[in-house]
Amino acid sequence: MPHTGWLAGLTLAVSLTLGVTARRPEPAPGVVGTWRLVSAKVNGKAVEVSAGTTVLKHLTPTDFVFVYYNEQGLITVAGGGRYTLTGNRYEESVEYGVGEGMAPYIGKTEVFTLRIDGDRWYHSGTEHDGSVVEEIWERARR
């Protein structure tokens, strides 16, 4: 009979795990993963990212984080929070950040139109300050 308690505990653990997994939000199709910024425009003008700087965006089924890092691997700007995707409407709610220019974004929700074509993510929209943003991201391969 000692095995019965162990088996009941295992059954409960598996049931709880499956129950939690079943309640998680479904991943946004095609968006979850790591993306590298290819190009960006603000108000129609190209944004120049410093030479040697890489910009990545990581998305889980519910959250995002982006980082700018230099050739030495040092993060210079980062931020993140929750996002939602409904059809082609992508909303990012910035909950935290660090680095130059991040303070005005914390606590704001930015709304974009998103389109994924193969390994490219195109998104555009008007940010809270009125800036019109157009970005192209590429699925990162390591």
Side-chain angles (χ1 to χ4, degrees):
M1 288 297 175
H3 298 290
T4 307
W6 173 83
L7 185 56
L10 179 60
T11 302
L12 177 61
V14 170
S15 297
L16 288 174
T17 301
L18 291 175
V20 169
T21 302
R23 283 188 225 111
R24 285 187 185 150
E26 286 297 312
V31 178
V32 172
T34 300
W35 299 85
R36 180 182 316 273
L37 184 66
V38 174
S39 67
K41 290 182 184 177
V42 175
N43 298 325
K45 295 184 181 186
V47 173
E48 297 297 324
V49 176
S50 302
T53 297
T54 300
V55 182
L56 295 178
K57 184 178 285 200
H58 305 284
L59 280 90
T60 71
T62 59
D63 294 80
F64 75 97
V65 64
F66 66 88
V67 296
Y68 286 60
Y69 67 92
N70 63 24
E71 292 172 321
Q72 293 77 36
L74 297 173
I75 294 173
T76 56
V77 177
R82 294 221 176 253
Y83 77 92
T84 59
L85 179 61
T86 306
N88 67 346
R89 182 184 172 99
Y90 173 79
E91 295 184 28
E92 288 183 343
S93 297
V94 182
E95 298 173 4
Y96 51 86
V98 64
E100 185 178 334
M102 280 305 302
Y105 290 91
I106 297 171
K108 302 288 192 296
T109 297
E110 307 294 351
V111 179
F112 302 98
T113 299
L114 171 144
R115 179 175 61 87
I116 294 182
D117 185 7
D119 283 341
R120 290 274 171 126
W121 165 355
Y122 301 86
H123 98 206
S124 59
T126 303
E127 293 188 335
H128 71 275
D129 65 357
S131 299
V132 177
V133 175
E134 300 171 69
E135 296 176 341
I136 301 173
W137 299 82
E138 175 177 84
R139 193 171 296 279
R141 305 276 184 226
R142 293 234 175 212

